[in-house]
Amino acid sequence: MDLTNKTAIVTGASKGIGKAVVLALLEKGVKVAGWSRSNPNIQHLAFHFVQADVSKQQQVESAFEKTMQLFGGQVHILVNNAGLGVFSKLEETSIENWHLMFDTNVHGIFYCTRKAIPVMRQQKLGHIINISSIAGLTGIEEATGYCATKFAVRGISQSLFKEVRKDNIKVTCICPGSVHTEFFNESSHVTANDTMLHPKDVADSILHVLETPDNFLTVEVELRPMNVRYS
């Protein structure tokens, strides 16, 4: 896809991977609506902050309506990035945290994607990027709930691409390894450090996938740091 003058929604845009994706898209001439609970304070004429908690269906509905008004009823790119993890043994995981992870990481993708698909189908053009994780590829001790949600993201992605490719809509699932973000603030076992992937690494990979020719689809991408150190 030629990204010039295209429109994009990026969820979880206030920090980490989401903010890096917003900045990368803006550099390519994309008009971006950044959805998040807090303002990323990005100063750019082509950037629009839309406050939304993707775990709440009504907030997604409202954010999408506002975004369509901003973009004249078009959306070419949806990056489902918003997500969180709570780490504990399964029997020690609270009901509230279990639901919070599924509401954000899984239901949020459902709410956002079901709004974008009809618009992309009418345009005969679109690309949906879902951010999973290596936690969606293998089980991780004391991350049962998080792994469950990221496995679900991969399942959604692998089914959805078969549903919509006839409409010239691409779906790609990105599975990053450890990324140096605030994500690890919630972990007592791992501290973020410079040996991890950086948000820009993930954003650059997403740009590469978005700019692929129309005749083929990248279904899934696994990204790993070369020599990660955990401490």
Side-chain angles (χ1 to χ4, degrees):
M1 183 192 297
D2 179 1
L3 300 182
T4 308
N5 293 321
K6 296 299 189 297
T7 61
I9 295 170
V10 180
T11 70
S14 64
K15 56 188 177 182
I17 294 172
K19 188 171 183 178
V21 171
V22 169
L23 295 173
L25 289 172
L26 290 171
E27 287 184 5
K28 287 287 186 175
V30 180
K31 301 171 186 175
V32 183
W35 293 12
S36 54
R37 291 177 295 178
S38 57
N39 193 327
N41 195 28
I42 295 172
Q43 304 300 319
H44 196 289
L45 291 176
F47 176 73
H48 305 274
F49 168 61
V50 179
Q51 190 169 39
D53 179 345
V54 300
S55 71
K56 312 295 185 185
Q57 181 185 354
Q58 285 304 117
Q59 290 192 32
V60 171
E61 301 272 348
S62 176
F64 192 80
E65 181 177 344
K66 182 176 180 179
T67 301
M68 289 302 93
Q69 292 171 356
L70 289 168
F71 290 160
Q74 291 188 318
V75 60
H76 303 100
I77 299 161
L78 170 62
V79 181
N80 284 311
N81 165 73
L84 55 86
V86 180
F87 303 99
S88 60
K89 294 178 180 179
L90 187 143
E91 75 274 15
E92 296 172 359
T93 303
S94 69
I95 300 298
E96 292 76 15
N97 282 335
W98 184 271
H99 287 175
L100 177 63
M101 285 187 283
F102 271 90
D103 286 343
T104 305
N105 301 359
V106 182
H107 302 157
I109 284 180
F110 170 67
Y111 299 147
C112 295
T113 304
R114 70 188 293 271
K115 297 299 295 183
I117 286 174
V119 178
M120 292 179 174
R121 181 176 287 124
Q122 187 174 23
Q123 296 167 172
K124 295 289 185 182
L125 180 65
H127 202 143
I128 298 165
I129 304 285
N130 293 329
I131 306 298
S132 181
S133 167
I134 59 166
L137 301 170
T138 186
I140 299 172
E141 186 178 3
E142 297 189 17
T144 312
Y146 182 68
C147 288
T149 65
K150 292 304 185 178
F151 269 82
V153 172
R154 290 184 65 229
I156 291 168
S157 303
Q158 290 178 11
S159 297
L160 183 62
F161 97 81
K162 296 178 180 179
E163 293 180 11
V164 299
R165 61 180 171 180
K166 64 182 179 296
D167 300 305
N168 201 37
I169 301 170
K170 295 183 177 184
V171 179
T172 303
C173 187
I174 307 291
C175 300
S178 300
V179 184
H180 190 173
T181 68
E182 296 88 344
F183 179 83
F184 290 104
N185 292 351
E186 302 299 322
S187 173
S188 60
H189 302 294
V190 179
T191 302
N193 63 77
D194 284 340
T195 66
M196 295 177 172
L197 294 167
H198 289 263
K200 188 178 184 299
D201 300 328
V202 182
D204 288 345
S205 297
I206 289 171
L207 284 185
H208 174 74
V209 168
L210 288 171
E211 292 183 315
T212 53
D214 293 339
N215 65 309
F216 73 89
L217 163 65
T218 304
V219 177
E220 188 168 277
V221 177
E222 179 181 349
L223 304 172
R224 299 266 191 163
M226 284 291 289
N227 296 293
V228 68
R229 181 186 71 251
Y230 296 107
S231 57

